[in-house]
Amino acid sequence: MSITPLAAVPTAHRAAPAFRGRIGRDARSGHYAVPHRYRLHLSTACPDGLRLAIGHSLLGLDDSCPVTFLPAVPDCPGGGHAALRPLYEASAHHYTGPALAPVLSDDWSGRIVSTHAPDILRDLDRFPGDGRPSLYPCGAESQIEAVERLCAEGIEEAAQRAGRADADPAERAAALEQLLDTLGRIERYLEGEKYLVDGRLTAADVELWVTLVQLDTVHRCHLDASAVHRIAGHPALWGHARRLAAHPAFGTHLDLDGIARRHHERCQGLEAAGAAVQILDWTGHAADDPGTSSR
């Protein structure tokens, strides 16, 4: 998929990672890709956690890199998890910040490798496996990164600005038009293609799917009904989301109740009429595949 980022929108900002180690390809890296050494700690109610859970399943890493699932709503101030506090304290002397998820830890040392979700997914893709497909196929990295930026800037940030109750009406209208323009660009591409990059399922499709889940379950609640109907008017885009929801690696990790509880815990915005206009029956489509279930 040939996409350039939206230059008029600043790059999306995740919280600065407290740890950003990388898994290398050999022992000289300190952390190298070896089975049964690493562990993921995540909540699927969190967008980054959901991305990692899906990628982990697509890569078939259940045995070689186990996952510890955390509660949907963090139980410590600042969005931290009490279960992660020992890892943070073992990894940084006198650590005083929140124990945030997701985390990739090293079971050999009992310390954290990384809390930076994009790096973690790329490093999981390096794990050895017999014949499994890559989420970041060689030569497609720049296209996948372009999709990631487009989702962050043209969908996630635009939807947030379009739903801000304290924003000027003109600003909200401009953000909505940017959101619709982005959805339209992806819609036109998906009218002729099954996947976003390289004709196969990649990290770009994971990124888009999680972004659409957030758009329909979180951001929609702060938009008016007219805006939601316009967003829903992209059949190829939402058809893509529906097909992936029926894929076991996607549908089994979709915790709609957890997403709602996490959103209500953190959100300070006002609910709008669009909250009553659900775009996709996510649970119903996930149940289309007998190998899926909603957690």
Side-chain angles (χ1 to χ4, degrees):
M1 182 178 187
S2 179
I3 287 180
T4 55
L6 304 177
V9 183
T11 302
H13 295 288
R14 287 183 169 98
F19 301 90
R20 199 170 176 179
R22 299 300 303 269
I23 296 178
R25 298 183 182 278
D26 57 50
R28 293 172 296 179
S29 69
H31 295 107
Y32 56 99
V34 58
H36 314 300
R37 176 173 179 176
Y38 304 100
R39 177 180 298 271
L40 273 175
H41 309 256
L42 55 84
S43 167
T44 56
C46 161
D48 279 338
L50 182 56
R51 291 182 186 95
L52 288 174
I54 294 168
H56 180 272
S57 291
L58 288 171
L59 294 170
L61 296 177
D62 288 343
D63 292 333
S64 57
C65 179
V67 178
T68 296
F69 290 99
L70 301 168
V73 179
D75 53 1
C76 290
H81 292 268
L84 297 178
R85 175 58 56 179
L87 277 172
Y88 273 82
E89 292 179 347
S91 305
H93 187 56
H94 294 313
Y95 180 81
T96 58
L100 301 175
V103 164
L104 178 66
S105 67
D106 179 356
D107 280 352
W108 290 4
S109 67
R111 296 184 178 184
I112 293 172
V113 177
S114 179
T115 58
H116 188 57
D119 285 352
I120 293 172
L121 187 55
R122 284 166 169 78
D123 288 350
L124 291 180
D125 199 47
R126 294 180 173 183
F127 270 64
D130 295 330
R132 64 169 173 77
S134 172
L135 296 178
Y136 296 89
C138 183
E141 292 91 342
S142 62
Q143 292 175 281
I144 293 172
E145 289 172 1
V147 171
E148 291 170 344
R149 290 192 297 271
L150 191 65
C151 288
E153 299 166 7
I155 301 178
E156 182 77 12
E157 286 191 356
Q160 288 177 355
R161 295 199 313 275
R164 282 185 54 187
D166 59 347
D168 180 87
E171 293 177 2
R172 294 201 302 269
L176 177 60
E177 290 306 316
Q178 182 179 25
L179 169 61
L180 292 169
D181 176 70
T182 303
L183 298 179
R185 291 165 63 183
I186 301 174
E187 169 79 8
R188 289 188 291 275
Y189 184 83
L190 287 174
E191 285 174 347
E193 298 289 341
K194 187 175 181 180
Y195 298 112
L196 289 173
V197 174
D198 202 37
R200 55 174 164 162
L201 184 59
T202 69
D205 299 288
V206 176
E207 183 72 26
L208 177 61
W209 192 79
V210 173
T211 302
L212 293 177
V213 168
Q214 288 290 300
L215 180 58
D216 192 20
T217 61
V218 174
H219 302 306
R220 169 179 58 81
C221 299
H222 304 291
L223 299 172
D224 62 41
S226 174
V228 176
H229 282 301
R230 295 175 69 189
I231 290 169
H234 298 84
L237 178 73
W238 293 105
H240 182 65
R242 184 171 57 249
R243 287 193 303 274
L244 291 182
H247 189 297
F250 290 76
T252 53
H253 294 300
L254 188 54
D255 181 6
L256 295 177
D257 176 68
I259 291 173
R261 287 189 288 114
R262 181 183 177 89
H263 173 59
H264 292 149
E265 181 75 17
R266 296 158 54 96
C267 180
Q268 299 178 352
L270 300 176
E271 185 173 286
V277 189
Q278 185 179 22
I279 298 173
L280 230 61
D281 176 9
W282 296 94
T283 302
H285 293 308
D288 287 345
D289 190 301
T292 67
S293 62
S294 181
R295 186 174 39 221

